[in-house]
Amino acid sequence: MADPVFFELLHAQIVKYVEERQTKDTDLSSLDTIGFTCGYKIIERLTRDWPKFKDELEIVKFICTDFWMAVYGKQIDNLRTNNQGLYVLQDNMFRCLNKIAIGKEHLQVAPLYYTFTCGLVRGSLANLGVHCVVNAEVQNMPSVKFHIQVNRL
Amino acid sequence: MSRQTSRLDAKKVNSELFTLTYGALVTQLIKDVDNVDDVNKQLERMGYNIGVRLIEDFLARSGSGKCYDFRDTSEKIQLATRMYLGVSPTISNWSPSGDEFSLVMDNNPITDFVELPDSHMGLKYSNMLLGVIRGSCEMVQLEVSCWFVQDQLKGDNTTEIRVKLLRKLEDSVPAGED
């Protein structure tokens, strides 16, 4: 079974590749697409034998606990919702950022490192029937808040 | 948050996540870069950058010392493949001079779920692995050359990587020091 270090290094290389290629400052769409494709496919494998989710909140809780634990080795530290489709997931020690800086240094590179995960979450939720937009914000490294806004028709 | 132990096997998840991410990366590369040869080169370069950093993790975790000879190196590469890819390759087909060997894998995990379309037969899908081997060896002063002899994606029975030692790199003395 593969080691997490190998995946972290691969992720870093992908980030570097996208950074080198981007023509506009904020064009991280390919990172998001790669994350989305992965999330969409992996969630099928992960939840194959899982009992059916009762509702949207159960799905988000699954992402916060089992999913995050399997992918990042820990659970989400804090989950908030307004019960109207907006969820905020806080990870205080986000693995992709914890080797870069602590505090307010290097905040401008944080988007490069959380965009893949935003796509991963969006893809996973999409294949579970929850269509949403996922963004993130970082105020203090390495703590990240992922904002999931579910499209309610 | 609930504290029950997860039913998901983290190692297996990481392995599949790696495979899927690698696949998505290759797809993106093919979209960005038309030429299949350039994609192969890009994959090898990324692998090299990974290898250069992976070797440190390997040395720290395995506690390995210096290799006595190239056979020793081949065993370490075998161990690393087991550690990082989760598969146990075999070493075979040593050249008479002992500077070339084959790493044979019955199952290449990064090609799980992958099929190569006819239009992209020139793509060396697992080229990153060659770069990883080259990068990590260079960090321990060995210049090696690697290539695929057999590739399961192209219809062969196994995946075989040939590794050849080109030369030992000497530390260059900075100017002004003797």
Side-chain angles (χ1 to χ4, degrees):
Chain A
M1 303 298 145
D3 199 277
V5 160
F6 206 7
F7 174 73
E8 275 174 32
L9 288 171
L10 175 66
H11 176 246
Q13 281 307 302
I14 295 177
V15 165
K16 179 162 175 255
Y17 167 74
V18 169
E19 193 186 0
E20 279 167 3
R21 277 196 76 87
Q22 65 184 20
T23 43
K24 291 182 308 207
D25 259 328
T26 49
D27 183 15
L28 296 173
S29 52
S30 28
L31 261 180
D32 189 78
T33 311
I34 294 178
F36 181 89
T37 326
C38 282
Y40 197 88
K41 292 177 183 159
I42 203 166
I43 202 73
E44 264 182 37
R45 312 261 317 153
L46 294 188
T47 57
R48 209 165 51 178
D49 299 319
W50 215 262
K52 206 168 149 162
F53 293 110
K54 268 198 328 228
D55 55 22
E56 191 180 277
L57 183 58
E58 287 283 306
I59 295 177
V60 177
K61 280 200 208 158
F62 167 78
I63 299 285
C64 295
T65 53
D66 299 283
F67 183 82
W68 219 260
M69 179 62 100
V71 177
Y72 292 117
K74 62 185 285 293
Q75 296 187 352
I76 283 281
D77 296 304
N78 198 327
L79 168 66
R80 282 207 180 102
T81 176
N82 66 356
N83 288 316
Q84 281 169 23
L86 177 67
Y87 300 89
V88 180
L89 281 63
Q90 185 167 344
D91 186 339
N92 289 328
M93 191 57 84
F94 188 47
R95 205 173 74 183
C96 301
L97 291 176
N98 68 358
K99 294 195 176 85
I100 298 179
I102 297 203
K104 303 244 182 231
E105 275 187 333
H106 301 307
L107 281 177
Q108 72 278 8
V109 300
L112 283 168
Y113 289 92
Y114 62 55
T115 306
F116 174 85
T117 306
C118 288
L120 192 73
V121 171
R122 189 165 66 90
S124 304
L125 289 172
N127 208 358
L128 290 171
V130 178
H131 298 279
C132 58
V133 175
V134 182
N135 282 311
E137 64 162 320
V138 176
Q139 282 166 347
N140 270 305
M141 299 272 249
S143 169
V144 190
K145 285 198 185 135
F146 292 95
H147 296 261
I148 302 178
Q149 177 67 59
V150 180
N151 297 341
R152 293 262 177 95
L153 296 159
Chain B
M1 294 287 128
S2 59
R3 288 255 170 231
Q4 82 251 38
T5 45
S6 177
R7 282 179 273 171
L8 296 175
D9 179 3
K11 288 214 154 220
K12 183 154 170 281
V13 171
N14 259 290
S15 178
E16 295 190 351
L17 188 63
F18 185 91
T19 303
L20 291 170
T21 309
Y22 187 78
L25 170 67
V26 176
T27 315
Q28 185 68 39
L29 280 173
I30 294 179
K31 228 189 294 182
D32 290 339
V33 178
D34 285 323
N35 192 335
V36 150
D37 281 326
D38 284 340
V39 173
N40 291 339
K41 279 202 203 103
Q42 183 77 284
L43 284 173
E44 210 269 352
R45 191 162 68 94
M46 286 176 144
Y48 175 85
N49 289 334
I50 290 180
V52 155
R53 291 167 180 84
L54 198 63
I55 185 72
E56 284 178 28
D57 184 79
F58 173 74
L59 290 173
R61 301 225 318 229
S62 64
S64 302
K66 240 174 127 140
C67 286
Y68 292 113
D69 58 19
F70 203 48
R71 276 182 196 264
D72 213 1
T73 309
S74 72
E75 278 166 28
K76 302 249 165 73
I77 295 180
Q78 192 181 25
L79 174 63
T81 313
R82 212 176 308 150
M83 270 169 69
Y84 295 109
L85 281 181
V87 290
S88 292
T90 46
I91 306 278
S92 63
N93 291 351
W94 278 99
S95 65
S97 46
D99 64 351
E100 214 175 295
F101 67 89
S102 281
L103 196 72
V104 182
M105 290 189 275
D106 288 324
N107 164 39
N108 183 358
I110 65 175
T111 59
D112 282 343
F113 328 128
V114 179
E115 254 181 39
L116 212 55
D118 288 329
S119 51
H120 289 89
M121 270 299 156
L123 178 68
K124 295 186 188 142
Y125 186 85
S126 312
N127 226 23
M128 185 178 277
L129 296 181
L130 304 187
V132 173
I133 297 177
R134 187 172 71 89
S136 40
C137 285
E138 196 171 298
M139 285 299 111
V140 289
Q141 315 297 102
L142 294 174
E143 188 177 328
V144 299
S145 163
C146 329
W147 62 95
F148 282 105
V149 176
Q150 292 191 76
D151 194 346
Q152 274 167 318
L153 267 187
K154 304 213 171 130
D156 298 315
N157 288 335
T158 58
T159 299
E160 186 182 337
I161 297 177
R162 195 108 184 111
V163 183
K164 182 182 165 79
L165 174 66
L166 295 176
R167 61 192 178 105
K168 289 196 190 136
L169 299 163
E170 301 295 336
D171 282 324
S172 55
V173 179
E177 282 185 34
D178 268 315

